[in-house]
Each structure stands twice: as structure tokens, then as C-alpha cells.
Amino acid sequence: MNILVINAGSSSLKYQLLNPETQEVLAKGLCERIGIDGKFTYKPANKEAIKDADVAMPTHSEAIQTVLHALVDEHNGVIASMKEIDAVGHRVVHGGEAFSGSVLITEDVMNALEECIPLAPLHNPANITGIKACVEVMGKEVPQVAVFDTAFHQTMPAVAYTYALPYEFYQQDKVRRYGFHGTSHKYVSQRAAAMLGKPIEELKLISCHLGNGSSITAIQGGKSMDTTMGFTPLAGVPMGTRSGDLDAGIIEYLMNKHGYDIKEMLNILNKKSGVLGISGVSSDFRDLEDAAEKGNQQAQLALDAFDYSVKKFIGAYAAAMGGVDAIIFTAGVGENGVTTRANIVSGLEYMGVKMDAEKNNTRGKEVDVSADDATVRILVIPTNEELMIAMDTATIVGK
Ligand code: AMP
């Protein structure tokens, strides 16, 4: 079975053709500058790659057509015809409260997706455009499945998702914690259960997805119980450029003091804050580590503030679940940030978390990096959202 996984942005489209059973990636790549001039990248397994080719892509439909042509191309294609694509799995950012799992896309589902647009005005329209383009180019006979970033977190109890605001804002305006990175947290939690050789139903896990965007999730019995991102992906720990949690009173204070309008203020919170904001150096953890090593104290403070915040949530979620069996590190920083991982767990020995420094000297591989006598495992698990989307899509289509 071959699944085409699509992650459509407003002017870009990431794709991957893979077999969820063998986990083999047949080809992957990226369409960029859609609606501008069009750049196409295609990497087939074991064949010649195309990089940054100029291809006119006035809309997402031409982008999908370009992808399909490359996949069936007689020289460096990977399938004989489009018939070898069994289904398409689309990453959709926001499913609101309407979707607690992946779904086969029907007209009703499309209408429900449109209703979720106010919750993710930057992302959902692009995801919907990607779906429409696939249906247009591939025809209605190829099943399309939506896999949501928010769906995994729909199991959170009301105590975790309710904000302490007048209750009608939840009832009428759907203001609540939704959480994001769900596909990643779900994937790594399943891998963690496999690594530990235990049924996921018996496990209490804390998944730390630490990348340019970061979120921590408490996962009990395979279900999300709490997560750091909220109504939007701005909440939680400090991120590359996003502030994470902050006192809402700061917003009015800074707007009054500097004459910012709300758009400027949100731009600061989304694009100029986080570790970039504190350090004044970069949003990239490698740059921050280099700068800190050279004695830049703001860069060091940014790294320390990030580690401290992640550590606090680990403590909070262990308290919320009444214990923890394993802490998972994933995404760019979680998979590669040897020092960051070590700093985050240092001081947690009292709760049975003990790292093996030698084992922790690893990057981008599935490894248990905890000391032999630790009672809480520390697992490094590379995330694979595309594979999770393909597996979900295969399950739905198989029904
Ligand atoms: P992601 O958003 O998951 O792609 O993660 C991007 C982040 O991972 C960036 O801040 C990178 O600096 C960070 N990252 C990637 N490789 C390393 C590394 N070897 N050490 C520390 N951070 C890394």
C-alpha cells in the first residue's frame, strides 16, 4: 500500500510517498513559492534528485500535478502510474472539538473543516486548499484522509483544557486548550511503548517535542491528559521565536508604553520572542550553544530559561499523572540537543530520573539514555509525523 502524505502551507507543499507497512519512503520533496514563481524539489529513493527546479505553480493544483508527474516519470519516477497511490493523508492543523481522530474526507468533513478556520486562520485554509487540489487532480476515487494536529489531545479532561475565563467563552466561542503536535506525540508514545516492551495502556509518559516549536504532553494509557500548547501554538514553553506562557497583563502594558497595535504586539510574541528574544542572537539552538560557549550571557540565559521551563512542566505532569514511567525527547532539539537534554533532566534524580551521560551522547536515533538503575526511563525517539499520517490513513482506508 502506498500513501501520499501532504502537508500544505499557504505557499508551500511538503509531500512524501511511503508504504506504511514496510515504512519505506519511495520519494519525498517540497513545492515552494506556490502562487509566486514555483520551485520544486524531489528526492526519490536511490535515484537522481531534483533540487530547486523552476516549475510554474500558480496554484496548489499545479503543485500536486508536478508531484504526480515526478512520481510516475519514466526516468526517476518511483511508481508506474497514479493507480499505485492508494490514498492521500493530509496534515490538518486544527480539528477543533469536531475531530478526535483522523477521518475520511467527505463533503460533511470539508464543511466541518471550514468551520474550524477561525481557530487556525493561518493554517487551515492552506490545508483545505491542499485537499481540494488533490481531489481536483487525482479524482474522487482516490480516498483522502485528514490527520489533525489537535486530535490526539481531545482526550484531555475538562480540568486540563478549561481556561479560567467566563464559561460562556468556552460554550459560545470554543475558547479552550486544544494542544498541537498531536501526531508527533502520538507517534513517539507508541514507539516508547514498543521500546519499553509494555502495553501503552499501562504507561505514564511525558513527551517533550522540542524543536523550533515546542510542546510537552502528559500521556497516560496512550491518551493525552494535558499539554503545554493551548488555544493556539503560542502557549507553553519558550520556543524559537514564540514567547510561550506569559502574564496577559504584559500585553496591555507594552501596547500602551510603545504604542503597538495588537497586530504588532502579536508579531512580537510570535516572531521576536522565545529564545531569539531573550538571546538577541538566534532562534536556532546550535547558534545559541555556539554563542554561549563564546561567553554570550544572554544566549546562555535563553538556553537556561528554556531548560528550566521544560523541567517545570515535567514536574507538573508527573504530579498530574501521579508518576511517570518514561520521559521522551523528540524533534530537532530533543533528538539532537545532547546538552539540552542533560540540563533538563539534571536535578530530577529525586524522582528516579537518572541519565547515563555516555548513552546520552547520541543524535537522531532511538536510544534509552537513562542509567541502568533509573526508575524512570529517558528515551530519545526521532519523530516521524509523515509515517504516523500514513499509518492513520491506511487504517482509515482499510476500514
Ligand atoms: P525542528 O523544528 O524540529 O526542525 O527543530 C529545529 C531546532 O533543532 C533548531 O533550533 C536546531 O538548532 C535544533 N537542532 C538541530 N540539530 C541540533 C544539534 N545537533 N544540537 C542542538 N540543536 C539542534
Side-chain angles (χ1 to χ4, degrees):
M1 176 176 263
N2 295 325
I3 307 288
L4 180 62
V5 174
I6 299 285
N7 182 354
S10 56
S11 68
S12 70
L13 185 148
K14 263 196 242 165
Y15 64 92
Q16 208 172 99
L17 183 69
L18 60 115
N19 180 331
E21 286 141 358
T22 61
Q23 307 199 357
E24 182 195 0
V25 177
L26 285 81
K28 61 180 175 181
L30 179 64
C31 301
E32 288 174 286
R33 299 176 63 84
I34 300 170
I36 308 167
D37 43 10
K39 285 257 178 274
F40 180 61
T41 297
Y42 172 71
K43 288 186 201 130
N46 308 323
K47 285 190 183 174
E48 203 183 324
I50 299 171
K51 219 173 170 279
D52 289 339
D54 292 316
V55 182
M57 295 178 198
T59 71
H60 286 68
S61 290
E62 288 81 11
I64 297 283
Q65 269 165 5
T66 308
V67 172
L68 294 174
H69 279 146
L71 293 172
V72 301
D73 182 83
E74 58 179 318
H75 298 298
N76 53 3
V78 290
I79 48 175
S81 83
M82 227 181 69
K83 291 203 181 85
E84 291 179 36
I85 301 175
D86 297 283
V88 184
H90 294 268
R91 176 187 181 222
V92 179
V93 168
H94 219 305
E97 287 190 323
F99 299 104
S100 56
S102 305
V103 284
L104 185 69
I105 297 171
T106 60
E107 226 163 274
D108 285 348
V109 168
M110 285 304 274
N111 292 336
L113 292 183
E114 302 265 353
E115 279 173 26
C116 291
I117 288 178
L119 296 172
L122 295 179
H123 294 102
N124 271 30
N127 301 151
I128 291 170
T129 305
I131 296 167
K132 285 184 177 162
C134 278
V135 175
E136 190 186 310
V137 176
M138 302 176 82
K140 285 199 170 140
E141 52 286 0
V142 182
Q144 313 275 332
V145 170
V147 180
F148 302 92
D149 261 24
T150 50
F152 181 61
H153 300 298
Q154 279 296 304
T155 49
M156 280 190 290
V159 287
Y161 72 68
T162 306
Y163 287 119
L165 291 169
Y167 200 61
E168 57 267 27
F169 289 137
Y170 168 58
Q171 290 171 308
Q172 289 163 22
D173 304 312
K174 302 180 179 170
V175 173
R176 51 159 286 175
R177 183 187 304 281
Y178 288 101
F180 298 87
H181 292 144
T183 309
S184 174
H185 289 299
K186 181 177 170 185
Y187 175 77
V188 297
S189 63
Q190 290 181 355
R191 289 304 311 149
M195 283 173 81
L196 298 170
K198 287 198 177 145
I200 200 162
E201 291 74 21
E202 291 174 13
L203 291 171
K204 292 172 180 170
L205 304 167
I206 297 174
S207 166
C208 305
H209 177 112
L210 312 179
N212 199 26
S214 295
S215 68
I216 328 292
T217 298
I219 303 167
Q220 189 164 0
K223 295 189 171 135
S224 171
M225 302 304 283
D226 203 348
T227 192
T228 55
M229 282 181 169
F231 179 67
T232 73
L234 182 55
V237 296
M239 302 178 218
T241 62
R242 282 173 249 166
S243 64
D245 293 341
L246 86 175
D247 177 348
I250 294 169
I251 294 176
E252 189 207 17
Y253 176 77
L254 286 179
M255 285 174 74
N256 285 342
K257 194 141 199 277
H258 296 284
Y260 299 138
D261 61 24
I262 191 66
K263 223 171 150 200
E264 287 168 314
M265 193 65 234
L266 281 173
N267 190 47
I268 292 170
L269 297 180
N270 275 301
K271 306 260 171 75
K272 298 184 177 172
S273 300
V275 292
L276 167 69
I278 299 176
S279 68
V281 171
S282 172
S283 62
D284 191 297
F285 275 65
R286 283 163 295 195
D287 296 343
L288 293 175
E289 286 177 1
D290 287 348
E293 211 159 282
K294 291 186 186 119
N296 185 316
Q297 293 194 358
Q298 263 173 258
Q300 188 61 57
L301 176 62
L303 291 168
D304 291 346
F306 176 81
D307 298 344
Y308 175 72
S309 179
V310 176
K311 188 198 302 255
K312 272 208 302 196
F313 277 111
I314 290 174
Y317 289 166
M321 292 191 290
V324 53
D325 297 300
I327 297 167
I328 305 165
F329 285 103
T330 192
V333 181
E335 292 164 29
N336 302 294
V338 173
T339 314
T340 298
R341 285 195 301 257
N343 289 342
I344 288 169
V345 299
S346 86
L348 297 181
E349 292 80 7
Y350 74 92
M351 54 187 260
V353 180
K354 201 166 155 195
M355 184 174 258
D356 181 317
E358 216 166 286
K359 288 185 195 157
N360 185 46
N361 197 8
T362 182
R363 290 192 171 84
K365 280 195 301 252
E366 275 187 9
V367 187
D368 181 338
V369 299
S370 41
D372 292 340
D373 59 343
T375 53
V376 177
R377 312 317 299 174
I378 307 167
L379 307 175
V380 176
I381 304 179
T383 195
N384 195 338
E385 289 165 275
E386 290 79 10
L387 177 59
M388 191 75 250
I389 292 171
M391 294 196 308
D392 263 18
T393 302
T395 308
I396 300 255
V397 173
K399 273 181 194 162

